[in-house]
């Protein structure tokens, strides 16, 4: 496919085994060894972060039994738990973009993608209930601690929720689409602030004045690094037109022969 040159800096994002991320005809997309390794590391760190968050909440439970309740300790424990929960949530979602689940098993797909939300609820909701039902706290103390705990529950739940979960089937479909339009090559372009990936590095949408650098990599890399799931309509239309012209020229050549 003919591709004009961009005047912007092009930075190539290289996979350790890019061929593993092509659809290869009718084959299902699969992550590279590097992606699976990174996903495993992220998941281990995420689980450790969640365990620390839950541990802080367990410790906070025992601090709630003291009379008087130490407000400084309680606030500190909730904040520390929130920090580690958010770290765990972010890394878990990154791991799912590197090594996504399949939609074939709906239950597993849901749990894997929303595990951060589930853990956040398990970590913070019991603490909210314990604070508002604790007899050792005054009404003012319940208001302060309860508000902080509810805010922590909301923040952790929000960062743990995957609103646009990746899947093996989605990656397969998107990669095949790009390869079909791009002469079998799994390569796209995107910008740091863009919401779409592109087939042409000279596409006007990514060559504006605000763009200084354009990245090039696989469909999966665009999803992993920038959460981009949409193919540029202009590039898609241009590629389809080019394909139609190529087919027409080939048919005309065949007919003349």
């Amino acid at each position: 496919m003919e591709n004009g040159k961009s005047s912007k800096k092009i930075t190539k994002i290289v996979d350790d085994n890019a061929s593993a991320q092509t659809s290869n005809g009718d084959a299902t997309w699969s992550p590279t060894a590097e992606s699976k390794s990174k996903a495993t590391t992220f998941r281990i760190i995420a689980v450790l972060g969640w365990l620390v968050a839950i541990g802080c909440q367990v410790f906070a439970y025992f601090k709630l039994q003291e009379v008087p309740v130490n407000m400084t300790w309680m606030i500190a424990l909730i904040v520390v738990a929130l920090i580690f929960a958010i770290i765990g949530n972010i890394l878990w979602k990154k791991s799912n973009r590197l090594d996504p689940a399949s939609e074939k098993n709906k239950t597993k797909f849901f749990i894997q993608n929303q595990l951060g939300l589930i853990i956040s609820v398990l970590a913070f909701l019991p603490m909210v209930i314990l604070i508002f039902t604790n007899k050792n706290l005054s009404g003012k103390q319940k208001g302060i601690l309860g508000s902080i705990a509810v805010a922590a529950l909301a923040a952790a739940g929000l960062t743990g929720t995957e609103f646009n979960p990746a899947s093996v089937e989605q990656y397969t479909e998107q990669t095949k689409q790009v390869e079909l339009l791009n002469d079998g090559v799994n390569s796209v372009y995107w910008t740091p602030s863009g919401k779409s990936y592109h087939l042409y590095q000279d596409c006007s949408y990514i060559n504006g004045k605000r763009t200084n650098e354009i990245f090039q990599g696989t469909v999966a890399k665009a999803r992993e690094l920038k959460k981009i799931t949409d193919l540029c309509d202009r590039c898609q239309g241009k590629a389809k037109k080019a394909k139609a012209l190529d087919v027409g020229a080939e048919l005309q050549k065949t007919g003349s022969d």
Side-chain angles (χ1 to χ4, degrees):
M1 180 176 68
E2 184 180 354
N3 191 351
K5 298 295 183 181
S6 170
S7 61
K8 308 296 182 179
K9 176 184 176 182
I10 305 295
T11 300
K12 292 186 177 182
I13 309 298
V14 181
D15 289 324
D16 65 333
N17 184 15
S19 62
Q21 293 194 322
T22 63
S23 59
N24 294 322
D26 295 327
T28 301
W29 177 93
S30 62
T32 66
E34 179 190 25
S35 294
K36 288 186 72 70
S37 177
K38 285 175 64 176
T40 299
T41 300
F42 286 160
R43 284 170 178 150
I44 292 173
I45 299 174
V47 170
L48 292 176
W50 289 336
L51 289 175
V52 172
I54 293 173
C56 287
Q57 298 294 53
V58 171
F59 188 36
Y61 166 77
F62 289 105
K63 298 299 290 185
L64 275 175
Q65 311 310 310
E66 298 178 355
V67 181
V69 174
N70 189 315
M71 293 288 288
T72 303
W73 262 106
M74 287 299 302
I75 293 172
L77 287 168
I78 293 173
V79 171
V80 171
L82 176 60
I83 292 172
F84 278 94
I86 290 176
I87 291 173
N89 292 343
I90 292 174
L91 291 178
W92 188 265
K93 289 199 288 188
K94 282 187 175 182
S95 74
N96 288 333
R97 292 198 297 273
L98 286 162
D99 183 19
S102 171
E103 296 178 28
K104 292 180 180 179
N105 187 328
K106 300 297 183 181
T107 301
K108 180 182 177 181
F109 182 74
F110 174 82
I111 292 176
Q112 179 169 323
N113 284 289
Q114 306 304 336
L115 188 58
L117 171 62
I118 295 171
I119 295 296
S120 296
V121 172
L122 292 176
F124 291 95
L125 183 58
M127 183 52 55
V128 172
I129 296 173
L130 287 171
I131 288 172
F132 284 114
T133 58
N134 191 284
K135 297 180 179 180
N136 298 327
L137 293 170
S138 65
K140 182 179 179 180
Q141 289 176 319
K142 287 182 180 181
I144 295 173
L145 284 182
S147 297
I148 294 173
V150 169
L153 171 61
L158 184 63
T159 58
T161 302
E162 182 56 81
F163 295 99
N164 187 17
S167 70
V168 171
E169 290 77 12
Q170 187 182 77
Y171 277 22
T172 300
E173 180 181 352
Q174 292 171 343
T175 301
K176 285 181 178 180
Q177 180 189 33
V178 167
E179 290 177 343
L180 180 64
L181 296 172
N182 203 24
D183 297 331
V185 180
N186 178 13
S187 179
V188 293
Y189 302 90
W190 67 90
T191 62
S193 60
K195 296 182 179 179
S196 300
Y197 51 75
H198 305 258
L199 297 174
Y200 300 90
Q201 63 173 269
D202 63 342
C203 177
S204 59
Y205 285 151
I206 54 174
N207 281 270
K209 294 181 179 179
R210 294 184 299 175
T211 302
N212 296 317
E213 184 177 16
I214 297 173
F215 295 92
Q216 179 183 9
T218 63
V219 170
K221 277 296 180 182
R223 182 65 179 266
E224 172 195 341
L225 299 176
K226 292 300 299 178
K227 305 179 184 179
I228 297 175
T229 61
D230 179 56
L231 173 61
C232 168
D233 292 337
R234 182 171 295 180
C235 287
Q236 184 176 5
K238 181 179 178 180
K240 286 182 176 179
K241 184 177 180 180
K243 285 289 183 183
L245 290 175
D246 289 343
V247 171
E250 185 64 29
L251 290 174
Q252 187 177 11
K253 179 181 177 182
T254 303
S256 62
D257 291 342

